[in-house]
Amino acid sequence: MRDFKTLGIWQRSVKLAKTINDLTQSFPAHEKFGLAVQMNRSGVSIASNIAEGCGRRTIADQTYFIHVAIGSSFELETQIEIAFLSHYISASIYQSTVSELNTLQKMMVGYVRGLGVRY
């Protein structure tokens, strides 16, 4: 078991979840229970699965949850794209958020490789 709060991938994912939550606050009212909720859930899922994986005893279990977090990050990336195409976020917000997400994705893959698992 690892202290997940010391992991850069967890720290970064929590900041990203907060960013997404703040971002979706400006979405139109008709999206408050649609895309906004999905984006918030995906963002929270990334950090939550990293933490859950760290609470598992085996490398296989930990790897599984990091893979789930990676999957959630790709969900979120798709949802950010939809928000941009729907004109809910600006080009600069889109670019900076996707850039941060892509950095986190690379870090998570690196973390899995660091566990000795081929990705």
Side-chain angles (χ1 to χ4, degrees), residues 9-10 18 24-26 46 52 65 73 77-78 93 112:
I9 58 173
W10 181 82
K18 171 74 168 98
T24 59
Q25 296 301 311
S26 66
I46 297 167
E52 185 165 357
F65 284 99
S73 76
E77 188 171 355
T78 299
I93 296 292
V112 168

Side-chain angles (χ1 to χ4, degrees), residues 23-86:
L23 186 66
T24 59
Q25 296 301 311
S26 66
F27 281 20
H30 69 274
E31 284 295 355
K32 293 295 181 189
F33 300 105
L35 184 60
V37 169
Q38 287 299 115
M39 289 176 70
N40 285 315
R41 285 183 180 175
S42 295
V44 169
S45 177
I46 297 167
S48 297
N49 278 291
I50 291 167
E52 185 165 357
C54 288
R56 299 299 174 131
R57 291 184 336 180
T58 68
I59 297 292
D61 285 344
Q62 189 173 9
T63 301
Y64 169 79
F65 284 99
I66 300 300
H67 282 138
V68 172
I70 292 168
S72 293
S73 76
F74 284 106
E75 277 185 66
L76 181 57
E77 188 171 355
T78 299
Q79 294 156 356
I80 293 167
E81 183 77 23
I82 292 167
F84 174 67
L85 294 173
S86 299

